[in-house]
Amino acid sequence: MSVRSFPLTLRVTVSEATLDEIREKAVTQALQFFGPGAELDVISAEAESDEEREGRYRAHVVFRKVA
C-alpha cells in the first residue's frame, strides 16, 4: 500500500430532532468530504440526547469510502 493511498475514515457529529434528519445531515457532510459520487460504509453510529439543545439528539457517525 502506498503512503499516498490509504483508507481514511471520517467522523461527523450532527444535532437534529429526528432520525431522518440526522441521517441526511451526516451523509451530506460525508459526501462533501469524500465526493458527491462516493459510495459510503457506516462504520459506527451512536446517538444521545443533546443536552445543549432540548428536543434534539446528537449523533456521532463514522464513515468510510467503499474501495
Side-chain angles (χ1 to χ4, degrees), residues 4-63:
R4 294 178 187 233
S5 174
F6 55 89
L8 185 66
T9 60
L10 173 69
R11 182 176 191 254
V12 300
T13 301
V14 297
S15 178
E16 295 296 333
T18 68
L19 180 58
D20 288 337
E21 290 172 340
I22 287 171
R23 286 181 174 141
E24 183 177 334
K25 192 168 185 180
V27 168
T28 297
Q29 288 185 29
L31 291 173
Q32 287 174 346
F33 181 78
F34 288 113
E39 185 179 351
L40 304 171
D41 274 338
V42 175
I43 305 303
S44 68
E46 296 182 9
E48 61 193 5
S49 293
D50 189 337
E51 295 181 14
E52 297 175 10
R53 302 169 81 188
E54 186 157 340
R56 297 176 85 80
Y57 299 91
R58 179 179 299 146
H60 309 284
V61 185
V62 179
F63 293 94

